[in-house]
Amino acid sequence: MTFPSPVSYTDLMGGISEILFSAEQIQARVLELGAAISRDYVGCRPLLVGVLKGVFPFMADLARAITIPVEVDFMAIASYSAESRQHGAVRIQKDLDSAIGGRHVLFVEDVVDTGLTLNYVLRNLRSRDPATLQVCAMFDKGTRRLVRTPIHYKGFDLPDRFVVGYGLDYRELYRNLPFVGLLKADVLHPDEHTKKGSSK
Ligand code: 5GP
């Protein structure tokens, strides 16, 4: 038997064991990032580029926190096998709509973990000759990094834990939570808990 799927918002919230960053903390930090980007890119009309789906709340909030003209574009990528993923290889499922040659591109990321995805995407974007290419990441799991990746604008450091909320999912759920938190162990590992429970 598996843990029953959440069917209500209360069920969803019931799966969270701890809130790491509240909605208020996130919104305040996004405003600071937006202010810094607005200062640094004045006169540049930057293009914000994000990878779907996890980045959608951060991209929406960040774009609205930026007080200079910006454009927004998205890519969608899929990992190949676990083996090829170790080399950072991903398949582009949806490419950017716009050409980025000569543009000031700011790559916006939800969370940088091993850095493999970011590294691959940056190499791909760099090959298209943008005028500049910088990175803004809301969350950084620095201790998990396998490849060195630049992060020019950073929201918060995260511990080496699996988190959900603010765009980040577990089996496609929890993306719509306005905060970032940890899942209860019985949500992440339902079978183990069912077995333990039934042996008592
Ligand atoms: P990386 O290639 O840096 O290892 O992985 C980055 C991607 O892994 C993120 O864009 C995100 O989709 C996913 N990811 C990494 N850590 C977490 C996490 O704690 N929670 C969730 N839901 N996704 C994560």
Side-chain angles (χ1 to χ4, degrees), residues 38-46 68-69 104:
S38 305
R39 270 194 311 272
D40 296 350
Y41 282 86
V42 73
C44 290
R45 190 169 157 170
I68 57 171
H104 294 283

Side-chain angles (χ1 to χ4, degrees), residues 99-113:
I100 63 168
R103 298 293 309 269
H104 294 283
V105 175
L106 181 60
F107 184 71
V108 180
E109 178 71 302
D110 44 20
V111 52
V112 184
D113 185 16

